[in-house]
Amino acid sequence: MKILSKYRFLLLVAFIGLLTSCNKDEKIGFLSPNIKYTTASINVSVGTTLVRSGAMVIDESTKPLEFSIAAIKKEDGSIATAVSNYKVDTYFWHAAYTGKELDNEELDAKREKVNRPAVDINSANGQIIIYPEANDTTVLSKGKYIIDIKVKNSSGEKIIENALTLNVSYAAPSYFRLLGVDGNLKDVKCVITRKEETGNKITVRVLDKNDKPVDPASLIGYDYGTNGVVDLKDWHNLGLKNPTKYTAFPDRLELEVAGFPLPFVAGQYLTIDMYNNGSVNGSYFNYWFYIAIYKPGVWDVELKLLY
């Protein structure tokens, strides 16, 4: 009986020791040596839209983890001090942008102005963020940047060297994407030209297949509205009460705006959707597209109809 009791006592001690060990391990946690980005090198086009990398793969590391940028380096391995210190004024959003906001007050009620590192990181998942306001090419110049990441959790911390390479280039100062054509149209080609670097004017010309200007009065904006609410997607409606002045000539539109970018929220686009009842080429047609202009200036937008 004494021997049996002794064995029971030893088993109890061992069980208590196991529980203590498990609790200790749970408290210490696990930090995997294999934490990494799925793609270790990405091409980023900065200066107009928000850029995000993928999150880091944590390989069963104990949560929560905290990520930070340990260093931003140039291609030769030297520290990119100017980029590391580069901060910009940007916005954190608390409500969705719809494009139907009537003024800046309504827009600003949905967002908070913040000052952040131009090359930032989501501390919860390691996602690298580059804000659209990071458009100073003298600081964040075109080229290759290598980022070291610090990650820590309850078990400790480590530096992941050369975790992500950014191949930085700058986006064009304007954007166009044809979404669709209907009727007898085959295609629409667009050329956007910045004529002057200062100003607040846009000239829009539409050309038929023979390069003859189309009278803007013959092109009608498509109404996206429902329940009797008008929502025209045309050049009269560029957001936040723009254009401030709309002048139609037989061969062009001249628009003045309060400022750029258009639209005023980075990463968004204006939708233009126009149709003609047959007066241009004898048959109904419709075309619609996204457009954005990011820089101030005097701009020409030329649309060539192919049919």
Side-chain angles (χ1 to χ4, degrees), residues 274-294:
M274 310 297 292
Y275 71 92
N276 173 266
N277 60 10
S279 62
V280 172
N281 63 357
S283 178
Y284 162 88
F285 66 79
N286 179 212
Y287 60 93
W288 57 103
F289 57 86
Y290 285 152
I291 190 169
I293 298 177
Y294 304 112

Side-chain angles (χ1 to χ4, degrees), residues 204-225:
V204 181
R205 293 181 177 85
V206 179
L207 306 178
D208 67 14
K209 67 177 182 179
N210 299 313
D211 292 330
K212 180 182 178 181
V214 174
D215 189 338
S218 67
L219 298 169
I220 303 168
Y222 191 85
D223 188 358
Y224 281 59

Side-chain angles (χ1 to χ4, degrees), residues 44-113:
V44 296
S45 183
V46 303
T48 57
T49 60
L50 185 70
V51 175
R52 292 189 181 99
S53 75
M56 296 202 84
V57 177
I58 65 173
D59 189 37
E60 299 184 357
S61 296
T62 303
K63 297 179 180 180
L65 293 96
E66 182 180 340
F67 297 90
S68 59
I69 295 176
I72 301 176
K73 300 177 293 189
K74 300 177 183 178
E75 189 172 6
D76 62 5
S78 63
I79 300 298
T81 305
V83 176
S84 300
N85 296 333
Y86 182 24
K87 291 189 174 183
V88 295
D89 290 329
T90 187
Y91 293 96
F92 285 170
W93 288 81
H94 308 301
Y97 168 75
T98 65
K100 298 180 181 179
E101 291 78 9
L102 296 178
D103 50 38
N104 280 306
E105 288 73 19
E106 186 177 347
L107 194 65
D108 289 340
K110 297 183 174 186
R111 60 186 186 177
E112 173 190 357
K113 194 172 186 178

Side-chain angles (χ1 to χ4, degrees), residues 100-156:
K100 298 180 181 179
E101 291 78 9
L102 296 178
D103 50 38
N104 280 306
E105 288 73 19
E106 186 177 347
L107 194 65
D108 289 340
K110 297 183 174 186
R111 60 186 186 177
E112 173 190 357
K113 194 172 186 178
V114 295
N115 186 257
R116 297 294 302 174
V119 181
D120 206 354
I121 189 168
N122 183 329
S123 61
N125 64 13
Q127 184 182 61
I128 295 297
I129 303 165
I130 305 178
Y131 298 104
E133 294 82 4
N135 54 20
D136 189 340
T137 59
T138 65
V139 180
L140 183 61
S141 58
K142 182 179 178 181
K144 183 176 292 187
Y145 298 91
I146 301 141
I147 300 180
D148 295 345
I149 299 294
K150 178 192 286 188
V151 56
K152 62 181 180 179
N153 65 1
S154 57
S155 73

